[in-house]
Amino acid sequence: MRMRLMLLGGGNALGQALIRLGAEEDIAFLAPRPPEHGWDPASLTLLLDEQRPDAVINLAYYFDWFQAEAVSEPRLAQQERAVERLAELCQHHEMILVQPSSYRVFDGSRATAYSEKDEPVPLGLRGQALWRIEQSVRATCPQHVLLRFGWLLDESLDGALGRFLTRAEQPQELLLADDRRGNPTPVDDAARVILSVLKQLDCQAPLWGTYHYAGNEATTPLALGQAILAEAGQWRKLAVQAPTAQAHAARPDASEEPQHAVLACKKILHTFGIKPRAWRAGLPPLLDRFYRHG
């Protein structure tokens, strides 16, 4: 790898997966420790003026955008301003910006898979913030790759998977939507995609733009929950053996979570040659890390 790579957010689950995967191929990342209150416009300006990497992978707000149950509007606004400044700095120093986004930019009103050509209409605060961030990056930094991911799963104790498994340890009804659809995407798979993109950008291929990536085989939260519980049962005896079906409309997050969140991944396949992997194959190593280190 000729490019100097800077990773913001090397301490979170996706950042760690990217570092692990890079190490297997002797690809190293500059992964600066964030300031106490997180990256903001001032600290990012200082960092990039000093370091001048060739490419920045911005996973600084990964947990809030992909794993947290909820994020406050002021916090999202701060993150928007920080990414706006990051895009300005990357443009000024002629750096590449790799920026994650999400299926949340769509409202989930159509039953067929969303492609990059479909117009985003985000529902909740997070989706709206991510859509504004995408627009800001496109307008400011021409050398960008925006990667919209599906339902990301990681081993963090307080992430979506961790919260689900913690609830499954208590004798209670575990309700999951059976009429909501999306693509589960283990973080190891997401890291593989980011690394594959970086390798081709390192060959000076100007493949800028927006791309979708999500695990192969769309499913429902109910079916995903069943698969997770079956795999987790090999590690621990859980109080809940199977989740209970509930309608999307009855879910507490129905107003902000798209009912249909399936992503079409043809563009990333045709441009980068990246094929979707089956999410089911990613569950065993994910749960292995969760129960060994969680």
Side-chain angles (χ1 to χ4, degrees), residues 5-294:
L5 304 173
M6 176 171 283
L7 172 60
L8 301 177
N12 61 50
L14 181 51
Q16 288 288 298
L18 189 55
I19 289 169
R20 275 197 308 273
L21 207 58
E24 291 173 12
E25 302 191 35
D26 290 326
I27 295 171
F29 295 88
L30 294 165
R33 188 181 293 276
E36 191 178 344
H37 301 294
W39 295 110
D40 59 14
S43 57
L44 287 169
T45 302
L46 190 64
L47 177 73
L48 293 188
D49 282 351
E50 283 181 354
Q51 297 290 338
R52 307 285 178 96
D54 298 302
V56 179
I57 304 94
N58 180 28
L59 305 181
Y61 314 111
Y62 161 80
F63 187 85
D64 282 357
W65 294 353
F66 296 101
Q67 298 298 327
E69 273 194 285
V71 189
S72 71
E73 198 165 4
R75 189 174 172 91
L76 287 168
Q78 288 172 349
Q79 293 170 355
E80 273 186 67
R81 287 192 294 273
V83 180
E84 194 174 327
R85 180 59 181 148
L86 181 62
E88 288 171 359
L89 290 160
C90 286
Q91 163 62 2
H92 176 70
H93 294 302
E94 297 184 343
M95 301 167 186
I96 295 165
L97 177 57
V98 178
Q99 174 69 37
S101 189
S102 164
Y103 67 90
R104 291 177 189 273
V105 299
F106 299 112
D107 66 1
S109 60
R110 56 176 289 175
T112 51
Y114 283 97
S115 83
E116 293 83 351
K117 292 178 181 175
D118 289 313
E119 186 65 28
V121 185
L123 294 175
L125 290 175
R126 254 185 293 199
Q128 289 160 11
L130 286 168
W131 174 226
R132 287 192 297 268
I133 285 167
E134 283 192 16
Q135 291 171 298
S136 165
V137 167
R138 283 191 200 97
T140 309
C141 179
Q143 293 190 111
H144 69 265
V145 173
L146 281 156
L147 286 170
R148 290 181 185 146
F149 288 111
W151 297 341
L152 283 175
L153 297 172
D154 71 30
E155 69 272 24
S156 56
L157 193 58
D158 47 357
L161 176 69
R163 292 192 300 272
F164 174 74
L165 289 170
T166 300
R167 290 202 304 273
E169 291 182 2
Q170 307 301 320
Q172 59 179 311
E173 197 173 40
L174 256 182
L175 298 166
L176 291 174
D178 63 345
D179 57 350
R180 186 184 280 181
R181 289 181 67 75
N183 307 80
T185 311
V187 281
D188 288 350
D189 195 22
R192 170 186 72 94
V193 171
I194 294 171
L195 201 63
S196 299
V197 167
L198 289 168
K199 283 183 193 170
Q200 294 195 47
L201 296 178
D202 192 49
C203 300
Q204 299 181 318
L207 305 171
W208 320 123
T210 303
Y211 299 90
H212 288 176
Y213 183 80
N216 196 27
E217 190 199 342
T219 190
T220 64
L222 184 74
L224 172 61
Q226 288 166 342
I228 290 169
L229 290 176
E231 186 64 39
Q234 298 177 43
W235 286 93
R236 189 165 297 182
K237 187 164 174 60
L238 298 170
V240 178
Q241 299 302 308
T244 304
Q246 186 181 37
H248 164 79
R251 299 290 299 152
D253 61 354
S255 62
E256 57 180 42
E257 186 68 24
Q259 180 172 6
H260 300 288
V262 177
L263 297 179
C265 304
K266 285 181 183 173
K267 184 181 174 185
I268 202 165
L269 172 62
H270 294 154
T271 309
F272 290 100
I274 296 171
K275 295 179 181 176
R277 282 190 182 167
W279 58 264
R280 290 178 189 274
L283 287 185
L286 194 60
L287 287 163
D288 176 77
R289 286 202 305 274
F290 179 81
Y291 284 116
R292 280 184 193 275
H293 310 298

